[in-house]
């Protein structure tokens, strides 16, 4: 939300907006942990508090998720096929519960994400923000780099006009 | 009828040992790694993921190795493996408009916003064997050539981000020249058919048809699509847009109550533009066929889009009569795991079954002979007369 807008909301709505903002930030870090290069997670865990003790609520398990798509991209929904997903849930000693979901079958990663999810909930959103933003920037840069490899294959089809060379 | 046979355990174990040896091949040649399959036989991996209906590159590569490159066997292995995993749920519908497309072409419009991007394609190659690939490490480094040839001075320039690529068919839709592709009313709550949970009933809705086609055998769908082009239920198709690239997958875990991104998958999409005559009440306009598969599976996506459109004949009030318009025929025979199961079971022991057939044929022959003799007996006195 834009800062200038924030000043005009009443306190009750402001509280609701704060909850929404927190949820949005949590959504973002869970997405970033699932999509960032694997080697980013361990240093982050050290930074956030690797020594925090935790109980495993749901041991890492691999399962299936049915991928939904839409006919023509925007029409009727259909089930396109499944993908593997691994999930894990943990609880810190202070009672904070963390969840980890990641595509594929990497159990260690799902557990690390669950731990990070719980630890991130314990810090102020201003403190969490640069961590999330840095990961997002890197994910975006990697995706862009991969896509831009196709840039030299962009074609300009020319319509040949008869007698053009005459 | 198939009656189970017992015995042969030793021979079966021996056969499997021999299979493992054959799969490994000459031990003097280094063993292929699943990472090599995943990286260097990518199109095989994509096909196994698509028809195995499970996106997981590592599993598909393993299945290909185990199946010694027999892709239908690999698809079978993937289908069998998936039954051992719990289902966590359904993803949010893919936002394909946000795809990071690495290939995007349109055969209907020359100038499309975002441009025509060939990406990694076999198109426009000369289909000449490249013997440089035969020699280990002998493959030419095309990456340098590509940059210098295609962009000239831009060799060392960062090509920068690609322009946004709005969907090509949206242009036609904005003019009302093509049927809408809007989500039906109440779409979010209406159930979506799932052939992994419920057996298919006919007539089938488009959701069930698309799911079946998405995992259908590439060769079967290719032949079916081809038949429509050759005149068996012609649909006048144009490839409006073909895209390949990465999309982010979102999932809403119950315990969170909000959707989160869990990763990204590579998909290929084909949007076909087809002709439609119109009716007494409707102006003529173009219609759509859709194809989607995991990985880079262009032939499959195009074929699927052709067949999807053909199977919509009933919805569009078209006269149906061609094989590709026969929904029960197409959907019942497109799955190569089902098909191979039934076709290949013929090689399993049918001894008891065949014994009874043998006896039956022997009895019929004896009856035939007896009847012939009887005829001859009757004919004899006539001949004597």
């Amino acid at each position: 939300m834009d800062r200038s807008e924030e000043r005009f909301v009443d306190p009750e709505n402001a509280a609701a907006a704060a909850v929404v903002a927190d949820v949005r930030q949590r959504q973002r870090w869970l997405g970033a942990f699932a999509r960032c290069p694997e080697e980013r997670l361990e240093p982050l865990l050290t930074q956030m508090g690797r020594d925090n003790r935790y109980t495993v609520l749901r041991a890492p398990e691999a399962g299936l998720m049915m991928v939904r798509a839409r006919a023509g991209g925007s029409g009727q929904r259909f089930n396109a096929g499944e993908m593997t997903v691994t999930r894990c849930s943990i609880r810190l000693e202070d009672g904070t519960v963390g969840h980890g979901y990641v595509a594929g079958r990497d159990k260690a990663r799902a557990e690390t994400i669950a731990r990070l999810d719980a630890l991130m909930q314990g810090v102020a959103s201003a403190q969490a923000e640069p961590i999330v933003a840095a990961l997002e920037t890197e994910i975006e840069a990697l995706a862009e780099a991969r896509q831009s490899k196709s840039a030299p294959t962009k074609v300009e089809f020319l319509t040949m006009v008869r007698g053009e060379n005459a | 009828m198939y009656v189970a046979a017992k015995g042969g355990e030793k021979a079966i174990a021996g056969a499997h040992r021999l299979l493992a040896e054959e799969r490994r091949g000459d031990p003097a040649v280094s063993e292929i790694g699943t990472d090599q399959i995943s990286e260097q036989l990518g199109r095989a991996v994509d096909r196994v993921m698509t028809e195995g209906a499970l996106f997981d590159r590592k599993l598909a590569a393993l299945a290909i190795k185990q199946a010694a490159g027999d892709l239908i066997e690999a698809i079978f292995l993937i289908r069998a493996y998936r039954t051992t995993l719990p289902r966590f749920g359904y993803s949010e519908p893919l936002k394909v408009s946000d795809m990071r497309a690495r290939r995007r072409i349109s055969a209907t419009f020359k100038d499309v916003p975002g441009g025509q991007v060939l990406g990694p394609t076999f198109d426009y190659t000369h289909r000449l064997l490249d013997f440089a690939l035969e020699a280990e490490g002998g493959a030419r480094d095309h990456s340098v050539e590509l940059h210098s040839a295609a962009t000239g001075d831009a060799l060392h320039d960062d090509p920068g981000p690609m322009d946004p690529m709005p969907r090509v068919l949206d242009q036609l839709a904005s003019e009302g020249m093509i049927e809408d592709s809007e989500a039906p009313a109440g779409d979010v709550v209406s159930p979506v058919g799932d052939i992994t949970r419920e057996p298919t009933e006919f007539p089938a809705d488009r959701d069930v048809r698309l799911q079946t086609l998405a995992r259908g055998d590439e060769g079967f769908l290719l032949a079916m699509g081809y038949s429509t082009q050759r005149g068996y239920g012609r649909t006048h198709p144009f490839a409006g847009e073909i895209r390949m690239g990465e999309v982010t997958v979102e999932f809403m875990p119950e315990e969170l109550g909000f959707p989160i991104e869990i990763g990204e998958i590579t998909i290929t999409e084909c949007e076909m533009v087809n002709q439609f005559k119109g009716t007494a009440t409707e102006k003529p306009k173009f219609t759509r066929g859709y194809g989607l598969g995991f990985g880079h599976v262009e032939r499959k996506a195009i074929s699927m889009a052709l067949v999807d459109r053909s199977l919509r004949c009933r919805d569009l009030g078209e006269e149906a009569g061609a094989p590709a318009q026969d929904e029960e025929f197409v959907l019942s025979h497109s799955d190569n795991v089902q098909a191979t199961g039934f076709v290949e079971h013929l090689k399993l022991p049918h001894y008891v079954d065949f014994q009874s057939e043998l006896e039956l044929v022997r009895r019929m022959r004896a009856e035939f002979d007896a009847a012939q003799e009887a005829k001859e007996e009757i004919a004899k006195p006539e001949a004597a007369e």
Side-chain angles (χ1 to χ4, degrees), chain A residues 70 77 82 84 140 150, chain B residues 56 82 100 102 187 190:
Chain A
R70 289 185 181 278
R77 292 179 301 166
E82 289 163 314
T84 50
E140 186 64 15
S150 289
Chain B
D56 189 316
R82 74 160 283 283
R100 285 256 180 205
R102 290 186 286 125
D187 176 68
S190 61

Side-chain angles (χ1 to χ4, degrees), chain A residues 34-101:
Chain A
R35 296 177 61 206
C36 73
E38 201 185 341
E39 58 271 24
R40 295 293 167 273
L41 296 179
E42 285 302 317
L44 195 55
L45 189 59
T46 307
Q47 183 191 332
M48 296 300 298
R50 177 185 297 281
D51 302 332
N52 269 273
R53 289 155 65 99
Y54 64 98
T55 336
V56 174
L57 295 179
R58 182 164 59 197
E61 67 169 331
L64 301 170
M65 195 189 59
M66 178 58 87
V67 178
R68 286 241 163 104
R70 289 185 181 278
S74 53
Q76 188 179 355
R77 292 179 301 166
F78 71 98
N79 292 311
E82 289 163 314
M83 65 188 283
T84 50
V85 179
T86 304
R87 68 180 177 190
C88 175
S89 298
I90 65 104
R91 185 172 53 213
L92 297 178
E93 284 187 326
D94 70 5
T96 313
V97 174
H99 301 291
Y101 277 84

